[in-house]
Each structure stands twice: as structure tokens, then as C-alpha cells.
Amino acid sequence: MAAHSAVLSASKIMNPFWVGRLGNTAKVFGTTLIRHRNKTSLTPPPAKYGGRHTVTLIPGDGIGPELLNHVREVFRFTCVPVDFEMVNVNSALETDDDMNNAITAIRRNGVALKGNIETKHTLPASVKSRNNVLRTSLDLYANVMHCQSLPGVQTRHKNIDIVIIRENTEGEYSSLEHESVSGVVESLKIITRNNSIRIADYAFKLARERGRRRVTAVHKANIMKLGDGLFLQCCREVASGYPDITFDSMIVDNTTMQLVSKPQQFDVMVMPNLYGNVVSNVCAGLVGGPGLVPGANYGRDYAVFETATRNTGKSIAEKNIANPTAMLLASCLMLDHLNLNDYASLIRNAVLTTMNETRLHTADLGGQGTTSEVVQSVMRVIQSKGQFTAEL
Amino acid sequence: SPVPCRSASSLALILFRAFLTCPDACVFQMVQDPTQFDVLVMPNLYGDILSDLCAGLIGGLGVTPSGNIGANGVAIFESVHGTAPDIAGMDLANPTALLLSAVMMLRHMGLHDHADKIQTACFDTIRDKKVRLKSLLGGLQYFCSFKSKFQTMKAACL
């Protein structure tokens, strides 16, 4: 283990150009070293207590609690070896105790599944967004969202397959604002070389792992010459170490225009925080809406899974009309992360099969189905595969 | 701050909806159903992104007009597409964006009759599939030259 960490630290300091090339010489230290170097995914926490994993569950606000209850229902039914440690966060309080408990629990378990925590605008500006605090405290630097056209969902554009990698900890979300003169607010957007190199490296490694051919950096460097200019420069530097992958860049306004007219041209996209927010929502809209796309936040040591577009859905909470697809698919990403790939594939296939049934589509897809109908259908499909299950 | 917006809207009896203060929720709604939106007001960066997104939804920058309004009625109207040096001087460029920007200018000056005439002629010409120009987003078939499009429009105006 000491040898692993020593070589890993050395590789982080070294020029990215050499990192890929060292992979071959590292074989002499053992195959586990190559796994650390070449994979974007961190080693998941090992199973304990009879092969069962413990995952922190943060229900959040709005539709989060009911959707996560459905996830637990499906997991119980499928006999998935995962136990949930539930930690509630009350968004109405100004104190940080709830958040500290949640962060400690995630540090303990290594993995979490969460709903969105509402950021109340009535609280003073000094109270930061709790979701943001969670991401920065755990240094979950990469937000990964895979937008794919689903066969059962009718959309204007077809054959979309885009992976969006969004820097998750800095940029416009640094929460650094001040009002030196009344009526004039200054907001700081922070772009650092370290974090830009880190996210670009993550993007290229992921592209290589998944056999993707092209990475596009999205920026506004013509206006923010220093900030986005630095980000772009870091992406170019990292790109030079991956000659097998095509790298190009596109300004964010042109990107959104191209996304709504020809989204099939995009493969992997990497970008700073705010543009990632906008672009990921555009892509979610293109494939059928926020109810369909799962998201994952990866750091060096922890991983947190949630819906990609992070909506609280207050207006549809507890009405049994929310689309459970995104949260169920997010739980499948979590199972993949825990190396429980068989369970992940089983639940994922059941969800996608259910999506093909138009009469089960929920309101966001233009249908009349309820959340519980969709979940029941998913469980029926799982049962029909002959898997050992609990009672329906 | 949202307060000035709200008081202005109450004066003008226009429905004001503080739409989820964040551009992310707005954009996926825009992509799924843009018809729910009427007028949008926002700061600079979001405006840059959203205006190009909406331009993409209606056919591209080749058909999108724009205007920049300042104090005391000072205004500059412009198309927001590029200079396209590769097709300059070749009678291939799409005049729609600049023409509709000129229509915006006429409305700003209060010349609504002239504005309506030119706008109607422009829309009729676009609707008439016989005269199509190379769109700045790419894709439309090149059929006739700009001159013939202009002549069609001139005839429609009279």
C-alpha cells in the first residue's frame, strides 16, 4: 500500500505527458497499481458485516424522500446487499450541525445517495447552499452525467449520447461575494490550475476508459480571458498527453445553440461549474427531462449519487407523480461503484423496460402514470427475470 | 434585486413570474417546451447563453434579429451571426437576420407600418420554399440568389 501511494503521489506531481506512459513500467509493481493509475473510479469501500455495504442516505427535500423510499423498496425486493444509514438535513435551520452529521456519515461509509436539499432564499447570504457545502467538504470534484436517448421516450432529437463532466467545487459556485458599495455587488469566480488540470485529466481518463473519441472543452475565454483562459490552457495541456483522443473547444453560447440543433456531434464535454449546470440541464431536456437522468459526484475518496439536474421538485412532492427513473438509475450507478454490477444491470434493465411502456410514463413525459405504478412495474420485471426476490 | 421588477410589473399589469431564479431549471423547460415563455429578463452571462440557445431553437443565427437599447433612446440594432468571410461578396448570405433587426429598428423609431410591411414580406418569402438561402447554421439547400429573394420581397411590399 505504501508503494502504491508513493508512486501515485509521484505521478500526480509529474507531467501528465508521462503518466500514461508509466502505466507499462508500473506492471512490475503489480496489477493493482495499474488499476489505480488508469481508472477514473476510486476503489470503492469494501463490503463489511457479511458482505453487506453501508451507504449514507440523505432524503433531502421535495420529492427526494419519496423517491429514495422507492429505491429502498426496490433494493429490499431485489435483496441487494446494501444497508442505508439515513441522515436527515433540515434546510430551514441556520446551523450546520445537520450537515456536519451528514458529512461525517459519508466519510465513514464512503458512498452516499441523496435527494436535493433545498436552499432557502429567505436565509441570510452567509448561509451557503448545503448541497454545495457537501460537495466542497468532501472534495467531490467531478460531476459526471451521461445523457443518452432512451428508446421508449419520444424526443425531437434522437441518438444522443453525451457525457458531461463538470468541475464541481470552484468556479462561479465559490460563494465569494461582497457589496463594498450599496447596490454594487462583486462576485468572485475562482479558477485554479490544480482543479482545472484535475478535472481535465478525469475527463480524458474517462474518455479513454469508455472508448470515447472526442473531448470538447466548453468555455467563455473570449470574455473571461484569465479565468476561462486558464481552464482552456489546462485542458490543452492534458490533451497533449492523450494523442488518441481528439480535443476541441467551443464557446458556451455556441455550445447551447449546437446542442439544440445538432446534439449528435458531441461526445464527451468538460467544463467549469456554471456552464456545466446550464449544459447538463439542456442535455437533460433534450433526452426527455430531468426525471430521467442520473448524476454522480466523484472525489478522490468519496462518491455521492443523485439525480443529474438536482431539482427539489417541491411543487410535485407527495403527489405520487414524480418520475422515479432518475433516482433509480442513480442507485444503479451507485451499485456499479460498489462493484455489485449484476444487481445494477438487473435494476437498470427493469427500469428501461418499464420506460418502453408509454402508458406508464409519468406526467413529466406527458403520460398519466403514477410513481408507484412505475416502481411496481420495475419490481415485476425484476421478478420475471427469475431472480430470487422478497414478496412483492 | 427582484424588487424593482415586481413593482414595475404591478404598474403595467403584466404577469410577472419569478421563474426559479436559476438558469438551469429554465433551460430544460426551454428545450422541452419553449412556448411557455414570453419575455425573459436576466443578467449578462445568462442572457448570452439563453439567447443563443433560443436562436438555435428557431433556426439559427441567420434568422435572429437583435437590438441594444441604451438611455435616451440610443440604440444599435445588429444581427449576431459572424462575418462569414468565406461567402462574402458571393450573393450567398442570408439577409433575414439583418433585415429583421432593421424591422426592430423601425419599431423603435415608431415607424410601425413600414416595419409590419417588411416583416410580413420577409416571413412570406421564407414560407415560400422556392427561395431558400444557405443558413448560417448549415443545412438549407441553396436554390436562388439573394437578388431574387429581394425582388420577391420588394413585390410583396408594394
Side-chain angles (χ1 to χ4, degrees):
Chain A
M1 272 309 283
H4 292 181
S5 21
V7 182
L8 270 175
S9 334
S11 70
K12 279 182 183 138
I13 305 165
M14 280 162 106
N15 189 317
F17 179 75
W18 289 107
V19 170
R21 277 142 186 80
L22 272 179
N24 290 326
T25 49
K27 267 185 194 142
V28 83
F29 293 107
T31 50
T32 46
L33 193 60
I34 297 169
R35 190 159 63 84
H36 272 287
R37 174 84 34 76
N38 293 339
K39 283 185 90 70
T40 47
S41 48
L42 49 108
T43 316
K48 317 174 252 231
Y49 307 129
R52 298 184 70 79
H53 294 263
T54 310
V55 168
T56 307
L57 190 80
I58 303 173
D61 300 306
I63 50 175
E66 65 190 88
L67 293 182
L68 288 170
N69 272 340
H70 287 304
V71 167
R72 282 158 73 186
E73 210 180 309
V74 172
F75 274 29
R76 180 201 59 82
F77 177 76
T78 322
C79 303
V80 175
V82 166
D83 295 314
F84 288 109
E85 181 192 344
M86 186 137 89
V87 182
N88 276 309
V89 174
N90 188 340
S91 52
L93 296 178
E94 284 186 38
T95 58
D96 291 331
D97 294 337
D98 283 358
M99 274 317 297
N100 290 337
N101 289 340
I103 291 167
T104 311
I106 300 174
R107 283 204 172 110
R108 182 170 51 241
N109 297 321
V111 179
L113 187 61
K114 72 181 268 283
N116 200 44
I117 305 163
E118 190 192 352
T119 307
K120 284 199 166 24
H121 301 292
T122 48
L123 293 176
S126 54
V127 180
K128 298 185 182 173
S129 152
R130 297 213 150 81
N131 304 298
N132 203 16
V133 164
L134 202 135
R135 289 191 289 271
T136 48
S137 313
L138 297 169
D139 199 25
L140 301 168
Y141 65 90
N143 176 260
V144 180
M145 176 178 163
H146 187 184
C147 275
Q148 260 181 315
S149 297
L150 297 180
V153 180
Q154 285 304 311
T155 52
R156 188 184 181 81
H157 299 280
K158 318 258 181 257
N159 301 321
I160 297 173
D161 191 357
I162 307 174
V163 179
I164 297 162
I165 295 160
R166 165 188 173 185
E167 207 291 324
N168 221 5
T169 54
E170 56 174 25
E172 299 83 349
Y173 288 61
S174 312
S175 305
L176 292 169
E177 297 182 304
H178 51 265
E179 193 174 359
S180 312
V181 174
S182 170
V184 178
V185 173
E186 283 181 335
S187 214
L188 294 176
K189 165 176 162 161
I190 311 292
I191 300 276
T192 57
R193 189 179 161 73
N194 272 354
N195 289 347
S196 303
I197 295 250
R198 189 168 64 163
I199 195 68
D201 200 44
Y202 187 94
F204 278 92
K205 278 209 184 97
L206 188 139
R208 187 175 267 173
E209 244 172 61
R210 298 192 190 182
R212 299 279 187 156
R213 312 266 20 107
R214 185 174 158 216
V215 173
T216 307
V218 177
H219 64 97
K220 189 82 189 160
N222 52 339
I223 302 294
M224 284 172 267
K225 296 185 165 75
L226 290 182
D228 287 352
L230 175 61
F231 180 81
L232 198 55
Q233 188 192 325
C234 292
C235 287
R236 285 203 181 104
E237 275 178 35
V238 173
S240 61
Y242 292 84
D244 51 324
I245 297 173
T246 315
F247 171 73
D248 58 2
S249 62
M250 199 182 271
I251 298 182
V252 60
D253 47 6
N254 188 22
T255 307
T256 50
M257 186 161 59
Q258 298 293 330
L259 274 169
V260 297
S261 46
K262 271 184 296 176
Q264 295 82 5
Q265 63 182 292
F266 295 104
D267 194 357
V268 176
M269 298 166 82
V270 62
M271 60 204 83
N273 217 329
L274 183 67
Y275 311 145
N277 186 350
V278 174
V279 167
S280 55
N281 274 266
V282 172
C283 291
L286 289 173
V287 299
L292 295 176
V293 195
N297 303 284
Y298 296 105
R300 203 191 56 160
D301 304 313
Y302 312 107
V304 174
F305 300 88
E306 55 180 349
T307 61
T309 48
R310 303 172 179 169
N311 304 106
T312 330
K314 262 196 325 186
S315 57
I316 55 170
E318 288 168 35
K319 289 184 183 163
N320 202 17
I321 52 173
N323 195 337
T325 308
M327 198 58 91
L328 282 167
L329 291 177
S331 67
C332 293
L333 289 178
M334 182 193 77
L335 291 173
D336 278 327
H337 178 72
L338 293 172
N339 285 336
L340 295 170
N341 303 101
D342 293 337
Y343 291 105
S345 305
L346 183 67
I347 298 175
R348 188 177 290 126
N349 288 336
V351 172
L352 296 178
T353 309
T354 306
M355 267 300 109
N356 287 336
E357 290 272 332
T358 323
R359 76 183 163 77
L360 284 174
H361 282 185
T362 42
D364 59 313
L365 297 174
Q368 321 239 302
T370 61
T371 318
S372 14
E373 275 170 19
V374 175
V375 172
Q376 291 290 314
S377 165
V378 168
M379 295 200 288
R380 266 196 301 272
V381 174
I382 292 171
Q383 191 169 51
S384 69
K385 299 286 177 204
Q387 175 84 358
F388 173 75
T389 55
E391 295 98 46
L392 198 67
Chain B
S1 104
V3 173
C5 287
R6 286 206 180 93
S7 51
S9 78
S10 63
L11 283 171
L13 296 174
I14 296 165
L15 179 65
F16 175 77
R17 186 168 63 155
F19 202 109
L20 302 164
T21 60
C22 26
D24 56 356
C26 182
V27 291
F28 79 71
Q29 302 248 5
M30 183 74 74
V31 168
Q32 293 191 286
D33 181 23
T35 57
Q36 63 182 301
F37 295 103
D38 195 354
V39 176
L40 294 156
V41 59
M42 66 207 79
N44 211 333
L45 180 65
Y46 308 147
D48 193 0
I49 296 171
L50 267 158
S51 57
D52 273 36
L53 192 151
C54 292
L57 290 173
I58 60 150
L61 293 179
V63 294
T64 308
S66 85
N68 305 283
I69 320 291
N72 302 323
V74 174
I76 297 178
F77 297 87
E78 56 177 351
S79 55
V80 284
H81 54 67
T83 49
D86 50 329
I87 57 168
M90 286 158 66
D91 204 18
L92 282 175
N94 191 337
T96 311
L98 206 46
L99 266 168
L100 290 176
S101 302
V103 165
M104 274 178 82
M105 179 189 76
L106 291 173
R107 291 196 201 286
H108 180 75
M109 291 160 70
L111 298 167
H112 297 285
D113 287 339
H114 295 283
D116 288 336
K117 262 194 210 154
I118 298 176
Q119 184 175 294
T120 314
C122 199
F123 287 172
D124 288 343
T125 311
I126 295 172
R127 205 173 294 130
D128 175 12
K129 290 187 171 58
K130 285 203 289 289
V131 188
R132 286 289 196 96
L133 283 166
K134 195 173 177 201
S135 155
L136 279 139
L137 253 189
L140 287 183
Q141 187 89 34
Y142 167 66
F143 278 107
C144 302
S145 72
F146 165 63
K147 271 206 189 102
S148 61
K149 178 168 176 168
F150 177 67
Q151 267 148 16
T152 317
M153 284 188 51
K154 208 166 135 185
C157 278
L158 296 169

